[in-house]
PDB file of all heavy atoms in Angstrom:
ATOM      1  N   LEU A   1      30.463 139.179  92.099  1.00 35.00           N
ATOM      2  CA  LEU A   1      30.894 138.056  92.872  1.00 35.00           C
ATOM      3  C   LEU A   1      32.053 138.516  93.762  1.00 35.00           C
ATOM      4  O   LEU A   1      32.811 139.372  93.389  1.00 35.00           O
ATOM      5  CB  LEU A   1      31.307 136.800  92.039  1.00 35.00           C
ATOM      6  CG  LEU A   1      30.249 136.102  91.238  1.00 35.00           C
ATOM      7  CD1 LEU A   1      30.792 135.085  90.353  1.00 35.00           C
ATOM      8  CD2 LEU A   1      29.322 135.563  92.217  1.00 35.00           C
ATOM      9  N   PRO A   2      32.252 137.839  94.832  1.00 42.00           N
ATOM     10  CA  PRO A   2      33.551 138.203  95.607  1.00 42.00           C
ATOM     11  C   PRO A   2      34.840 137.921  94.898  1.00 42.00           C
ATOM     12  O   PRO A   2      34.898 137.067  94.039  1.00 42.00           O
ATOM     13  CB  PRO A   2      33.371 137.318  96.871  1.00 42.00           C
ATOM     14  CG  PRO A   2      32.359 136.293  96.556  1.00 42.00           C
ATOM     15  CD  PRO A   2      31.475 136.878  95.458  1.00 42.00           C
ATOM     16  N   ALA A   3      35.823 138.496  95.361  1.00 44.00           N
ATOM     17  CA  ALA A   3      37.179 138.434  94.613  1.00 44.00           C
ATOM     18  C   ALA A   3      37.536 136.892  94.579  1.00 44.00           C
ATOM     19  O   ALA A   3      38.207 136.589  93.525  1.00 44.00           O
ATOM     20  CB  ALA A   3      38.212 139.275  95.335  1.00 44.00           C
ATOM     21  N   ARG A   4      37.366 136.196  95.598  1.00 49.00           N
ATOM     22  CA  ARG A   4      37.901 134.749  95.556  1.00 49.00           C
ATOM     23  C   ARG A   4      37.183 133.962  94.458  1.00 49.00           C
ATOM     24  O   ARG A   4      37.667 133.019  93.881  1.00 49.00           O
ATOM     25  CB  ARG A   4      37.482 134.058  96.907  1.00 49.00           C
ATOM     26  CG  ARG A   4      37.959 132.664  96.921  1.00 49.00           C
ATOM     27  CD  ARG A   4      37.818 132.030  98.331  1.00 49.00           C
ATOM     28  NE  ARG A   4      38.717 132.585  99.333  1.00 49.00           N
ATOM     29  CZ  ARG A   4      39.914 132.165  99.408  1.00 49.00           C
ATOM     30  NH1 ARG A   4      40.396 131.147  98.611  1.00 49.00           N
ATOM     31  NH2 ARG A   4      40.749 132.470 100.415  1.00 49.00           N
ATOM     32  N   ALA A   5      35.830 134.353  94.218  1.00 57.00           N
ATOM     33  CA  ALA A   5      35.111 133.589  93.087  1.00 57.00           C
ATOM     34  C   ALA A   5      35.700 133.953  91.719  1.00 57.00           C
ATOM     35  O   ALA A   5      35.505 133.161  90.789  1.00 57.00           O
ATOM     36  CB  ALA A   5      33.661 134.016  93.173  1.00 57.00           C
ATOM     37  N   GLN A   6      36.274 135.061  91.552  1.00 85.00           N
ATOM     38  CA  GLN A   6      36.918 135.573  90.326  1.00 85.00           C
ATOM     39  C   GLN A   6      38.287 135.154  90.272  1.00 85.00           C
ATOM     40  O   GLN A   6      39.157 135.866  90.919  1.00 85.00           O
ATOM     41  CB  GLN A   6      36.741 137.040  90.125  1.00 85.00           C
ATOM     42  CG  GLN A   6      35.268 137.494  90.036  1.00 85.00           C
ATOM     43  CD  GLN A   6      35.269 139.008  89.948  1.00 85.00           C
ATOM     44  OE1 GLN A   6      35.973 139.641  89.128  1.00 85.00           O
ATOM     45  NE2 GLN A   6      34.328 139.609  90.714  1.00 85.00           N
ATOM     46  N   THR A   7      38.638 134.036  89.694  1.00 92.00           N
ATOM     47  CA  THR A   7      40.043 133.558  89.753  1.00 92.00           C
ATOM     48  C   THR A   7      40.666 133.657  88.415  1.00 92.00           C
ATOM     49  O   THR A   7      40.077 133.742  87.356  1.00 92.00           O
ATOM     50  CB  THR A   7      40.022 132.043  90.160  1.00 92.00           C
ATOM     51  OG1 THR A   7      39.393 131.308  89.245  1.00 92.00           O
ATOM     52  CG2 THR A   7      39.387 131.916  91.478  1.00 92.00           C
ATOM     53  N   ARG A   8      41.969 133.575  88.440  1.00 95.00           N
ATOM     54  CA  ARG A   8      42.905 133.530  87.278  1.00 95.00           C
ATOM     55  C   ARG A   8      43.888 132.319  87.384  1.00 95.00           C
ATOM     56  O   ARG A   8      44.319 132.034  88.638  1.00 95.00           O
ATOM     57  CB  ARG A   8      43.606 134.831  87.046  1.00 95.00           C
ATOM     58  CG  ARG A   8      44.271 135.285  88.298  1.00 95.00           C
ATOM     59  CD  ARG A   8      44.528 136.843  88.242  1.00 95.00           C
ATOM     60  NE  ARG A   8      44.949 137.288  89.580  1.00 95.00           N
ATOM     61  CZ  ARG A   8      46.196 137.189  90.054  1.00 95.00           C
ATOM     62  NH1 ARG A   8      47.221 136.690  89.337  1.00 95.00           N
ATOM     63  NH2 ARG A   8      46.466 137.586  91.273  1.00 95.00           N
ATOM     64  N   SER A   9      44.190 131.737  86.307  1.00 97.00           N
ATOM     65  CA  SER A   9      45.025 130.566  86.442  1.00 97.00           C
ATOM     66  C   SER A   9      46.562 130.879  86.277  1.00 97.00           C
ATOM     67  O   SER A   9      46.889 131.613  85.271  1.00 97.00           O
ATOM     68  CB  SER A   9      44.707 129.559  85.371  1.00 97.00           C
ATOM     69  OG  SER A   9      45.432 128.351  85.463  1.00 97.00           O
ATOM     70  N   VAL A  10      47.361 130.575  87.152  1.00 98.00           N
ATOM     71  CA  VAL A  10      48.837 130.786  87.030  1.00 98.00           C
ATOM     72  C   VAL A  10      49.590 129.537  87.245  1.00 98.00           C
ATOM     73  O   VAL A  10      49.226 128.719  87.984  1.00 98.00           O
ATOM     74  CB  VAL A  10      49.233 131.831  88.241  1.00 98.00           C
ATOM     75  CG1 VAL A  10      50.776 132.127  88.141  1.00 98.00           C
ATOM     76  CG2 VAL A  10      48.438 133.131  88.106  1.00 98.00           C
ATOM     77  N   THR A  11      50.716 129.404  86.396  1.00 98.00           N
ATOM     78  CA  THR A  11      51.434 128.069  86.524  1.00 98.00           C
ATOM     79  C   THR A  11      52.673 128.442  87.439  1.00 98.00           C
ATOM     80  O   THR A  11      53.370 129.307  87.186  1.00 98.00           O
ATOM     81  CB  THR A  11      51.986 127.677  85.090  1.00 98.00           C
ATOM     82  OG1 THR A  11      50.970 127.631  84.214  1.00 98.00           O
ATOM     83  CG2 THR A  11      52.824 126.497  85.096  1.00 98.00           C
ATOM     84  N   ASP A  12      52.709 127.551  88.456  1.00 98.00           N
ATOM     85  CA  ASP A  12      53.863 127.898  89.356  1.00 98.00           C
ATOM     86  C   ASP A  12      55.144 127.141  88.951  1.00 98.00           C
ATOM     87  O   ASP A  12      55.175 126.518  87.860  1.00 98.00           O
ATOM     88  CB  ASP A  12      53.446 127.362  90.795  1.00 98.00           C
ATOM     89  CG  ASP A  12      53.360 125.837  90.989  1.00 98.00           C
ATOM     90  OD1 ASP A  12      53.670 125.170  90.085  1.00 98.00           O
ATOM     91  OD2 ASP A  12      52.905 125.458  92.099  1.00 98.00           O
ATOM     92  N   SER A  13      56.202 127.272  89.776  1.00 98.00           N
ATOM     93  CA  SER A  13      57.441 126.691  89.397  1.00 98.00           C
ATOM     94  C   SER A  13      57.524 125.184  89.291  1.00 98.00           C
ATOM     95  O   SER A  13      58.449 124.640  88.634  1.00 98.00           O
ATOM     96  CB  SER A  13      58.540 127.148  90.482  1.00 98.00           C
ATOM     97  OG  SER A  13      58.645 128.506  90.560  1.00 98.00           O
ATOM     98  N   ALA A  14      56.540 124.573  89.730  1.00 98.00           N
ATOM     99  CA  ALA A  14      56.449 123.101  89.607  1.00 98.00           C
ATOM    100  C   ALA A  14      55.674 122.734  88.375  1.00 98.00           C
ATOM    101  O   ALA A  14      55.396 121.434  88.232  1.00 98.00           O
ATOM    102  CB  ALA A  14      55.926 122.415  90.861  1.00 98.00           C
ATOM    103  N   GLY A  15      55.234 123.640  87.688  1.00 98.00           N
ATOM    104  CA  GLY A  15      54.304 123.301  86.445  1.00 98.00           C
ATOM    105  C   GLY A  15      52.856 123.100  86.855  1.00 98.00           C
ATOM    106  O   GLY A  15      52.183 122.620  85.949  1.00 98.00           O
ATOM    107  N   ARG A  16      52.517 123.398  88.055  1.00 98.00           N
ATOM    108  CA  ARG A  16      51.189 123.167  88.516  1.00 98.00           C
ATOM    109  C   ARG A  16      50.302 124.363  88.099  1.00 98.00           C
ATOM    110  O   ARG A  16      50.659 125.572  88.318  1.00 98.00           O
ATOM    111  CB  ARG A  16      51.097 122.959  90.105  1.00 98.00           C
ATOM    112  CG  ARG A  16      51.854 121.770  90.451  1.00 98.00           C
ATOM    113  CD  ARG A  16      52.033 121.844  91.987  1.00 98.00           C
ATOM    114  NE  ARG A  16      50.929 121.899  92.769  1.00 98.00           N
ATOM    115  CZ  ARG A  16      50.434 123.076  93.503  1.00 98.00           C
ATOM    116  NH1 ARG A  16      51.167 124.119  93.501  1.00 98.00           N
ATOM    117  NH2 ARG A  16      49.295 122.976  94.125  1.00 98.00           N
ATOM    118  N   ARG A  17      49.035 124.241  87.666  1.00 98.00           N
ATOM    119  CA  ARG A  17      48.175 125.287  87.469  1.00 98.00           C
ATOM    120  C   ARG A  17      47.478 125.680  88.705  1.00 98.00           C
ATOM    121  O   ARG A  17      46.784 124.781  89.301  1.00 98.00           O
ATOM    122  CB  ARG A  17      47.101 125.054  86.292  1.00 98.00           C
ATOM    123  CG  ARG A  17      47.716 124.647  84.975  1.00 98.00           C
ATOM    124  CD  ARG A  17      48.377 125.825  84.397  1.00 98.00           C
ATOM    125  NE  ARG A  17      47.468 126.809  83.977  1.00 98.00           N
ATOM    126  CZ  ARG A  17      47.863 128.026  83.478  1.00 98.00           C
ATOM    127  NH1 ARG A  17      49.053 128.311  83.220  1.00 98.00           N
ATOM    128  NH2 ARG A  17      46.946 128.970  83.028  1.00 98.00           N
ATOM    129  N   VAL A  18      47.559 126.830  89.174  1.00 98.00           N
ATOM    130  CA  VAL A  18      47.004 127.241  90.467  1.00 98.00           C
ATOM    131  C   VAL A  18      45.949 128.384  90.032  1.00 98.00           C
ATOM    132  O   VAL A  18      46.275 129.488  89.523  1.00 98.00           O
ATOM    133  CB  VAL A  18      48.052 127.871  91.384  1.00 98.00           C
ATOM    134  CG1 VAL A  18      47.471 128.252  92.769  1.00 98.00           C
ATOM    135  CG2 VAL A  18      49.123 126.892  91.513  1.00 98.00           C
ATOM    136  N   ASN A  19      44.722 128.209  90.510  1.00 97.00           N
ATOM    137  CA  ASN A  19      43.715 129.220  90.406  1.00 97.00           C
ATOM    138  C   ASN A  19      43.615 130.187  91.573  1.00 97.00           C
ATOM    139  O   ASN A  19      43.311 129.883  92.644  1.00 97.00           O
ATOM    140  CB  ASN A  19      42.346 128.488  90.383  1.00 97.00           C
ATOM    141  CG  ASN A  19      42.173 127.683  89.094  1.00 97.00           C
ATOM    142  OD1 ASN A  19      42.709 128.028  88.037  1.00 97.00           O
ATOM    143  ND2 ASN A  19      41.453 126.504  89.233  1.00 97.00           N
ATOM    144  N   VAL A  20      44.173 131.402  91.197  1.00 97.00           N
ATOM    145  CA  VAL A  20      44.460 132.473  92.357  1.00 97.00           C
ATOM    146  C   VAL A  20      43.323 133.553  92.239  1.00 97.00           C
ATOM    147  O   VAL A  20      42.826 133.822  91.156  1.00 97.00           O
ATOM    148  CB  VAL A  20      45.777 133.145  91.907  1.00 97.00           C
ATOM    149  CG1 VAL A  20      46.104 134.136  92.972  1.00 97.00           C
ATOM    150  CG2 VAL A  20      46.835 132.023  91.847  1.00 97.00           C
ATOM    151  N   PRO A  21      42.869 133.951  93.253  1.00 96.00           N
ATOM    152  CA  PRO A  21      41.842 135.085  93.348  1.00 96.00           C
ATOM    153  C   PRO A  21      42.303 136.318  92.507  1.00 96.00           C
ATOM    154  O   PRO A  21      43.401 136.531  92.480  1.00 96.00           O
ATOM    155  CB  PRO A  21      41.579 135.369  94.832  1.00 96.00           C
ATOM    156  CG  PRO A  21      42.162 134.096  95.580  1.00 96.00           C
ATOM    157  CD  PRO A  21      43.250 133.493  94.719  1.00 96.00           C
ATOM    158  N   ALA A  22      41.344 137.000  91.956  1.00 94.00           N
ATOM    159  CA  ALA A  22      41.569 138.228  91.237  1.00 94.00           C
ATOM    160  C   ALA A  22      42.426 139.218  92.159  1.00 94.00           C
ATOM    161  O   ALA A  22      43.287 139.846  91.665  1.00 94.00           O
ATOM    162  CB  ALA A  22      40.394 138.701  90.763  1.00 94.00           C
ATOM    163  N   GLN A  23      42.084 139.321  93.385  1.00 94.00           N
ATOM    164  CA  GLN A  23      42.718 140.129  94.386  1.00 94.00           C
ATOM    165  C   GLN A  23      43.272 139.275  95.475  1.00 94.00           C
ATOM    166  O   GLN A  23      42.483 138.664  96.159  1.00 94.00           O
ATOM    167  CB  GLN A  23      41.781 141.232  94.914  1.00 94.00           C
ATOM    168  CG  GLN A  23      41.313 142.201  93.924  1.00 94.00           C
ATOM    169  CD  GLN A  23      40.410 143.289  94.444  1.00 94.00           C
ATOM    170  OE1 GLN A  23      40.156 143.213  95.716  1.00 94.00           O
ATOM    171  NE2 GLN A  23      39.904 144.213  93.690  1.00 94.00           N
ATOM    172  N   VAL A  24      44.527 139.335  95.611  1.00 97.00           N
ATOM    173  CA  VAL A  24      45.249 138.588  96.668  1.00 97.00           C
ATOM    174  C   VAL A  24      45.652 139.543  97.735  1.00 97.00           C
ATOM    175  O   VAL A  24      46.503 140.418  97.652  1.00 97.00           O
ATOM    176  CB  VAL A  24      46.578 137.920  96.087  1.00 97.00           C
ATOM    177  CG1 VAL A  24      47.214 137.141  97.260  1.00 97.00           C
ATOM    178  CG2 VAL A  24      46.110 136.810  95.134  1.00 97.00           C
ATOM    179  N   GLN A  25      45.036 139.437  98.942  1.00 97.00           N
ATOM    180  CA  GLN A  25      45.230 140.519  99.952  1.00 97.00           C
ATOM    181  C   GLN A  25      45.827 139.686 101.340  1.00 97.00           C
ATOM    182  O   GLN A  25      46.281 140.496 102.134  1.00 97.00           O
ATOM    183  CB  GLN A  25      43.874 141.146 100.381  1.00 97.00           C
ATOM    184  CG  GLN A  25      43.331 141.854  99.146  1.00 97.00           C
ATOM    185  CD  GLN A  25      41.916 142.388  99.474  1.00 97.00           C
ATOM    186  OE1 GLN A  25      41.161 141.793 100.254  1.00 97.00           O
ATOM    187  NE2 GLN A  25      41.560 143.657  98.980  1.00 97.00           N
ATOM    188  N   ARG A  26      45.723 138.453 101.402  1.00 98.00           N
ATOM    189  CA  ARG A  26      46.209 137.822 102.520  1.00 98.00           C
ATOM    190  C   ARG A  26      46.930 136.492 102.135  1.00 98.00           C
ATOM    191  O   ARG A  26      46.319 135.608 101.502  1.00 98.00           O
ATOM    192  CB  ARG A  26      45.033 137.343 103.583  1.00 98.00           C
ATOM    193  CG  ARG A  26      44.441 138.529 104.321  1.00 98.00           C
ATOM    194  CD  ARG A  26      43.261 138.080 105.111  1.00 98.00           C
ATOM    195  NE  ARG A  26      43.498 137.131 106.019  1.00 98.00           N
ATOM    196  CZ  ARG A  26      44.117 137.383 107.230  1.00 98.00           C
ATOM    197  NH1 ARG A  26      44.442 138.646 107.522  1.00 98.00           N
ATOM    198  NH2 ARG A  26      44.240 136.414 108.166  1.00 98.00           N
ATOM    199  N   ILE A  27      48.301 136.465 102.417  1.00 98.00           N
ATOM    200  CA  ILE A  27      49.098 135.323 101.846  1.00 98.00           C
ATOM    201  C   ILE A  27      49.714 134.658 103.156  1.00 98.00           C
ATOM    202  O   ILE A  27      50.340 135.237 103.949  1.00 98.00           O
ATOM    203  CB  ILE A  27      50.147 135.862 100.981  1.00 98.00           C
ATOM    204  CG1 ILE A  27      49.578 136.722  99.844  1.00 98.00           C
ATOM    205  CG2 ILE A  27      50.805 134.618 100.323  1.00 98.00           C
ATOM    206  CD1 ILE A  27      50.552 137.211  98.856  1.00 98.00           C
ATOM    207  N   PHE A  28      49.617 133.382 103.142  1.00 98.00           N
ATOM    208  CA  PHE A  28      50.266 132.579 104.175  1.00 98.00           C
ATOM    209  C   PHE A  28      51.588 131.993 103.775  1.00 98.00           C
ATOM    210  O   PHE A  28      51.593 131.289 102.719  1.00 98.00           O
ATOM    211  CB  PHE A  28      49.370 131.393 104.543  1.00 98.00           C
ATOM    212  CG  PHE A  28      49.734 130.627 105.930  1.00 98.00           C
ATOM    213  CD1 PHE A  28      49.348 130.899 107.051  1.00 98.00           C
ATOM    214  CD2 PHE A  28      50.665 129.657 105.680  1.00 98.00           C
ATOM    215  CE1 PHE A  28      49.745 130.190 108.145  1.00 98.00           C
ATOM    216  CE2 PHE A  28      51.161 128.864 106.749  1.00 98.00           C
ATOM    217  CZ  PHE A  28      50.657 129.121 107.940  1.00 98.00           C
ATOM    218  N   PRO A  29      52.664 132.343 104.357  1.00 97.00           N
ATOM    219  CA  PRO A  29      53.954 131.678 104.072  1.00 97.00           C
ATOM    220  C   PRO A  29      54.157 130.370 104.523  1.00 97.00           C
ATOM    221  O   PRO A  29      54.101 130.121 105.705  1.00 97.00           O
ATOM    222  CB  PRO A  29      54.962 132.682 104.624  1.00 97.00           C
ATOM    223  CG  PRO A  29      54.325 133.189 105.872  1.00 97.00           C
ATOM    224  CD  PRO A  29      52.829 133.225 105.529  1.00 97.00           C
ATOM    225  N   ALA A  30      54.397 129.265 103.741  1.00 96.00           N
ATOM    226  CA  ALA A  30      54.532 127.955 104.205  1.00 96.00           C
ATOM    227  C   ALA A  30      55.739 127.735 104.994  1.00 96.00           C
ATOM    228  O   ALA A  30      55.835 126.816 105.819  1.00 96.00           O
ATOM    229  CB  ALA A  30      54.614 126.974 102.983  1.00 96.00           C
ATOM    230  N   GLY A  31      56.858 128.557 104.867  1.00 95.00           N
ATOM    231  CA  GLY A  31      58.102 128.363 105.562  1.00 95.00           C
ATOM    232  C   GLY A  31      58.897 129.777 105.537  1.00 95.00           C
ATOM    233  O   GLY A  31      58.407 130.680 104.990  1.00 95.00           O
ATOM    234  N   PRO A  32      59.998 129.753 106.322  1.00 96.00           N
ATOM    235  CA  PRO A  32      60.831 130.996 106.460  1.00 96.00           C
ATOM    236  C   PRO A  32      61.201 131.611 105.045  1.00 96.00           C
ATOM    237  O   PRO A  32      61.130 132.747 104.918  1.00 96.00           O
ATOM    238  CB  PRO A  32      61.958 130.572 107.379  1.00 96.00           C
ATOM    239  CG  PRO A  32      61.440 129.515 108.218  1.00 96.00           C
ATOM    240  CD  PRO A  32      60.416 128.765 107.247  1.00 96.00           C
ATOM    241  N   PRO A  33      61.697 130.744 104.080  1.00 97.00           N
ATOM    242  CA  PRO A  33      62.093 131.386 102.805  1.00 97.00           C
ATOM    243  C   PRO A  33      60.960 132.107 102.142  1.00 97.00           C
ATOM    244  O   PRO A  33      61.173 133.279 101.658  1.00 97.00           O
ATOM    245  CB  PRO A  33      62.609 130.208 102.060  1.00 97.00           C
ATOM    246  CG  PRO A  33      63.151 129.282 103.088  1.00 97.00           C
ATOM    247  CD  PRO A  33      62.172 129.412 104.169  1.00 97.00           C
ATOM    248  N   ALA A  34      59.797 131.513 102.034  1.00 98.00           N
ATOM    249  CA  ALA A  34      58.717 132.112 101.575  1.00 98.00           C
ATOM    250  C   ALA A  34      58.228 133.480 102.255  1.00 98.00           C
ATOM    251  O   ALA A  34      57.866 134.399 101.507  1.00 98.00           O
ATOM    252  CB  ALA A  34      57.441 131.207 101.500  1.00 98.00           C
ATOM    253  N   ALA A  35      58.385 133.515 103.493  1.00 98.00           N
ATOM    254  CA  ALA A  35      57.973 134.731 104.309  1.00 98.00           C
ATOM    255  C   ALA A  35      58.832 135.876 103.811  1.00 98.00           C
ATOM    256  O   ALA A  35      58.440 137.003 103.661  1.00 98.00           O
ATOM    257  CB  ALA A  35      58.178 134.395 105.751  1.00 98.00           C
ATOM    258  N   ILE A  36      60.143 135.639 103.595  1.00 98.00           N
ATOM    259  CA  ILE A  36      61.149 136.719 103.213  1.00 98.00           C
ATOM    260  C   ILE A  36      60.876 137.164 101.769  1.00 98.00           C
ATOM    261  O   ILE A  36      60.830 138.324 101.465  1.00 98.00           O
ATOM    262  CB  ILE A  36      62.487 136.278 103.307  1.00 98.00           C
ATOM    263  CG1 ILE A  36      62.744 135.937 104.876  1.00 98.00           C
ATOM    264  CG2 ILE A  36      63.430 137.409 102.895  1.00 98.00           C
ATOM    265  CD1 ILE A  36      64.131 135.310 105.155  1.00 98.00           C
ATOM    266  N   TRP A  37      60.540 136.235 100.852  1.00 98.00           N
ATOM    267  CA  TRP A  37      60.213 136.596  99.531  1.00 98.00           C
ATOM    268  C   TRP A  37      58.957 137.456  99.599  1.00 98.00           C
ATOM    269  O   TRP A  37      58.844 138.424  98.941  1.00 98.00           O
ATOM    270  CB  TRP A  37      59.659 135.322  98.748  1.00 98.00           C
ATOM    271  CG  TRP A  37      60.813 134.464  98.104  1.00 98.00           C
ATOM    272  CD1 TRP A  37      61.642 133.504  98.764  1.00 98.00           C
ATOM    273  CD2 TRP A  37      61.277 134.618  96.720  1.00 98.00           C
ATOM    274  NE1 TRP A  37      62.478 132.942  97.889  1.00 98.00           N
ATOM    275  CE2 TRP A  37      62.342 133.593  96.672  1.00 98.00           C
ATOM    276  CE3 TRP A  37      60.939 135.189  95.704  1.00 98.00           C
ATOM    277  CZ2 TRP A  37      62.959 133.420  95.379  1.00 98.00           C
ATOM    278  CZ3 TRP A  37      61.567 135.061  94.425  1.00 98.00           C
ATOM    279  CH2 TRP A  37      62.600 134.094  94.308  1.00 98.00           C
ATOM    280  N   LEU A  38      57.829 137.072 100.297  1.00 98.00           N
ATOM    281  CA  LEU A  38      56.654 137.815 100.363  1.00 98.00           C
ATOM    282  C   LEU A  38      56.873 139.248 101.023  1.00 98.00           C
ATOM    283  O   LEU A  38      56.387 140.268 100.628  1.00 98.00           O
ATOM    284  CB  LEU A  38      55.600 137.036 101.261  1.00 98.00           C
ATOM    285  CG  LEU A  38      55.127 135.788 100.528  1.00 98.00           C
ATOM    286  CD1 LEU A  38      54.246 134.875 101.379  1.00 98.00           C
ATOM    287  CD2 LEU A  38      54.212 136.160  99.196  1.00 98.00           C
ATOM    288  N   TYR A  39      57.633 139.232 102.099  1.00 98.00           N
ATOM    289  CA  TYR A  39      57.947 140.563 102.844  1.00 98.00           C
ATOM    290  C   TYR A  39      58.557 141.563 101.767  1.00 98.00           C
ATOM    291  O   TYR A  39      58.245 142.743 101.752  1.00 98.00           O
ATOM    292  CB  TYR A  39      58.835 140.358 103.965  1.00 98.00           C
ATOM    293  CG  TYR A  39      59.314 141.675 104.506  1.00 98.00           C
ATOM    294  CD1 TYR A  39      58.641 142.374 105.345  1.00 98.00           C
ATOM    295  CD2 TYR A  39      60.629 142.139 104.141  1.00 98.00           C
ATOM    296  CE1 TYR A  39      58.979 143.638 105.857  1.00 98.00           C
ATOM    297  CE2 TYR A  39      61.035 143.461 104.577  1.00 98.00           C
ATOM    298  CZ  TYR A  39      60.246 144.064 105.488  1.00 98.00           C
ATOM    299  OH  TYR A  39      60.704 145.301 105.949  1.00 98.00           O
ATOM    300  N   THR A  40      59.436 141.071 101.023  1.00 98.00           N
ATOM    301  CA  THR A  40      60.225 141.925 100.040  1.00 98.00           C
ATOM    302  C   THR A  40      59.337 142.463  98.989  1.00 98.00           C
ATOM    303  O   THR A  40      59.512 143.585  98.416  1.00 98.00           O
ATOM    304  CB  THR A  40      61.489 141.329  99.510  1.00 98.00           C
ATOM    305  OG1 THR A  40      61.056 140.064  98.771  1.00 98.00           O
ATOM    306  CG2 THR A  40      62.496 141.055 100.596  1.00 98.00           C
TER     307      THR A  40
END
C-alpha cells in the first residue's frame, strides 16, 4: 500500500490523536512559527 495508507497514531500537544503517514515527505506549515520549527 502507499505510504499514506500505512498510518501511525501520534498524540499532539492538544491531546488529539493524529493518524500520520508512515513516511512524511511534504509538510505544510500553518503559520510562521511552525515554518521555523519545521525548517530547523
Side-chain angles (χ1 to χ4, degrees):
L1 291 173
R4 182 178 284 278
Q6 301 177 39
T7 62
R8 50 203 167 82
S9 183
V10 178
T11 302
D12 71 5
S13 296
R16 301 164 57 253
R17 299 295 292 179
V18 182
N19 292 323
V20 183
Q23 294 183 2
V24 176
Q25 299 174 327
R26 290 173 57 79
I27 309 176
F28 186 96
I36 300 173
W37 278 85
L38 290 167
Y39 170 82
T40 59

